[in-house]
Amino acid sequence: MTAVTTGPRPVGDPPAGEDARARFFAAAPAPEGGAAPDLRVRLGSLTLRNPVMPASGCFGPELAPLVPTSEIGATVTKTVFARRRGGNPTHRLTETPMGMINSVGIPSLGTDGFVREMLPRYRAMAAPVIVSVGGLAVGEYLTVMDELAGARFDGVEVNVSCPNLEHGGLDIGTDPDAVARVVSGVVARTDVPVLVKLTPMVSSIAEVARAAEEAGATALTVANSFPGMTLDPRTRRPVLGNRVGGVSGPAVKPLALRLTWATAEAVGVPVIGCGGISTVDDALDFLAVGATAVQVGTAHFARPFVMAEIARGLAARCAAADATRLTDYVRTLGET
């Protein structure tokens, strides 16, 4: 498969080779005239060195040797389910114009396997660890949290975009009452910040966002991928083994940006923008409409260094604007 198209490659990407990688990983110089801008953001009790983190499932410990994880705000794990899952049948991923569509099906080692095998590898990276938790029923989220008791991590992201097998397979995230029950149950089982990753497939994301906030969510991630389908032009049959999948990449950015704005207008907790972010300009767009932080997903497939690029770009933009704090950029929609 060819590289996924995720937008223009910034000038200055590191060429291949160990020497080039070492130069790229070297600490960026402080802006002329003083200390580097303050990029820190807060998600409840958790302070991130900068607002850039991966979307769940798009970055793992296997990339840590290649990427300067000391320059990102946090890591987010693949979604953890209570029991081991194998995921969907192949093919699981293919390109689309300006992005890709995937139907991975979220394979999982189960809570026990995650704690034993994967969590130590995430903790070895130089960034806070946010554990994504999922469930096919409201009670499964709570089981996962009970089984994570005693494990060390820095935050939880509740993936409410999972199908609810108790109610006909609709996403739990489409039902404000179900979202409230999941979130309140998770909050009661942990003392770390609880992020809630919302589905875009709702008539009013503001209604679901408020339900999550009232149930105790620390922050909201907006949003998961958009459902779609792609066909093989020769056979006119679905390319994906599961027929349908989640569309992501630059093509969905305008949709995700609107949802982020609508959510930030509706709630008082921090909002994390997610969808089509591949450049510093993309990140600044989400900050402008009210996001506190951003998640990067599909862009990793073509540019594994992308999170560090964006973090460095944010520092450079602040310095160029004589802004001492990144938070000066938040909610600047319409300002000149």
Side-chain angles (χ1 to χ4, degrees), residues 145-204:
M145 293 305 301
D146 289 338
E147 294 177 350
L148 286 173
R152 293 178 57 234
F153 48 88
D154 304 289
V156 172
E157 183 175 79
V158 185
N159 180 2
V160 295
S161 298
C162 302
N164 187 348
L165 299 188
E166 296 174 331
H167 296 285
L170 294 175
D171 284 357
I172 289 173
T174 63
D175 180 353
D177 291 336
V179 169
R181 285 187 286 135
V182 169
V183 174
S184 61
V186 171
V187 169
R189 287 164 168 79
T190 187
D191 57 2
V192 301
V194 175
L195 288 54
V196 181
K197 188 168 187 176
L198 304 181
T199 174
M201 303 310 296
V202 290
S203 57
S204 172

Side-chain angles (χ1 to χ4, degrees), residues 51-77:
V52 185
M53 64 185 87
S56 173
C58 297
F59 179 87
E62 67 278 359
L63 290 176
L66 304 175
V67 176
T69 56
S70 62
E71 295 190 37
I72 65 177
T75 60
V76 182
T77 73

Side-chain angles (χ1 to χ4, degrees), residues 105-124:
I106 318 182
S108 174
L109 296 173
T111 314
D112 181 64
F114 171 78
V115 171
R116 286 186 294 102
E117 300 178 32
M118 293 303 299
L119 185 56
R121 297 177 63 193
Y122 278 103
R123 290 205 59 82

Side-chain angles (χ1 to χ4, degrees), residues 2 38 43 47 50 66 78 92 103 131 149 179 187-188 197 225 262 284 287:
T2 58
D38 183 358
L43 302 176
T47 299
N50 65 57
L66 304 175
K78 182 180 286 293
R92 293 181 172 186
S103 181
V131 177
V179 169
V187 169
K197 188 168 187 176
S225 57
L284 287 170
L287 294 179

Side-chain angles (χ1 to χ4, degrees), residues 72-319:
I72 65 177
T75 60
V76 182
T77 73
K78 182 180 286 293
T79 299
V80 180
F81 288 84
R83 302 294 171 257
R84 184 179 290 268
R85 291 164 49 93
N88 286 334
T90 58
H91 292 300
R92 293 181 172 186
L93 182 152
T94 190
E95 291 181 85
T96 62
M98 292 296 289
M100 70 182 201
I101 180 171
N102 87 86
S103 181
V104 174
I106 318 182
S108 174
L109 296 173
T111 314
D112 181 64
F114 171 78
V115 171
R116 286 186 294 102
E117 300 178 32
M118 293 303 299
L119 185 56
R121 297 177 63 193
Y122 278 103
R123 290 205 59 82
M125 291 191 278
V129 179
I130 297 173
V131 177
S132 174
V133 300
L136 302 181
V138 171
E140 186 175 357
Y141 290 89
L142 311 186
T143 298
V144 172
M145 293 305 301
D146 289 338
E147 294 177 350
L148 286 173
R152 293 178 57 234
F153 48 88
D154 304 289
V156 172
E157 183 175 79
V158 185
N159 180 2
V160 295
S161 298
C162 302
N164 187 348
L165 299 188
E166 296 174 331
H167 296 285
L170 294 175
D171 284 357
I172 289 173
T174 63
D175 180 353
D177 291 336
V179 169
R181 285 187 286 135
V182 169
V183 174
S184 61
V186 171
V187 169
R189 287 164 168 79
T190 187
D191 57 2
V192 301
V194 175
L195 288 54
V196 181
K197 188 168 187 176
L198 304 181
T199 174
M201 303 310 296
V202 290
S203 57
S204 172
I205 199 165
E207 181 181 2
V208 179
R210 283 192 289 265
E213 179 183 33
E214 291 168 4
T218 307
L220 305 174
T221 303
V222 183
N224 214 323
S225 57
F226 294 74
M229 174 184 282
T230 187
L231 302 182
D232 185 321
R234 296 164 297 180
T235 65
R236 301 299 175 187
R237 296 180 61 83
V239 173
L240 298 176
N242 195 49
R243 296 178 180 267
V244 298
V247 180
S248 62
V252 308
K253 179 192 165 187
L255 306 176
L257 193 66
R258 184 194 71 84
L259 292 173
T260 299
W261 166 73
T263 303
E265 290 289 300
V267 299
V269 296
V271 176
I272 301 164
C274 178
I277 297 172
S278 62
T279 68
V280 66
D281 285 313
D282 293 333
L284 287 170
D285 284 348
F286 279 84
L287 294 179
V289 300
T292 294
V294 295
Q295 291 185 352
V296 182
T298 300
H300 286 107
F301 286 78
R303 290 159 45 214
F305 303 102
V306 63
M307 288 189 293
E309 292 171 359
I310 292 174
R312 293 182 182 188
L314 291 173
R317 292 297 182 88
C318 286

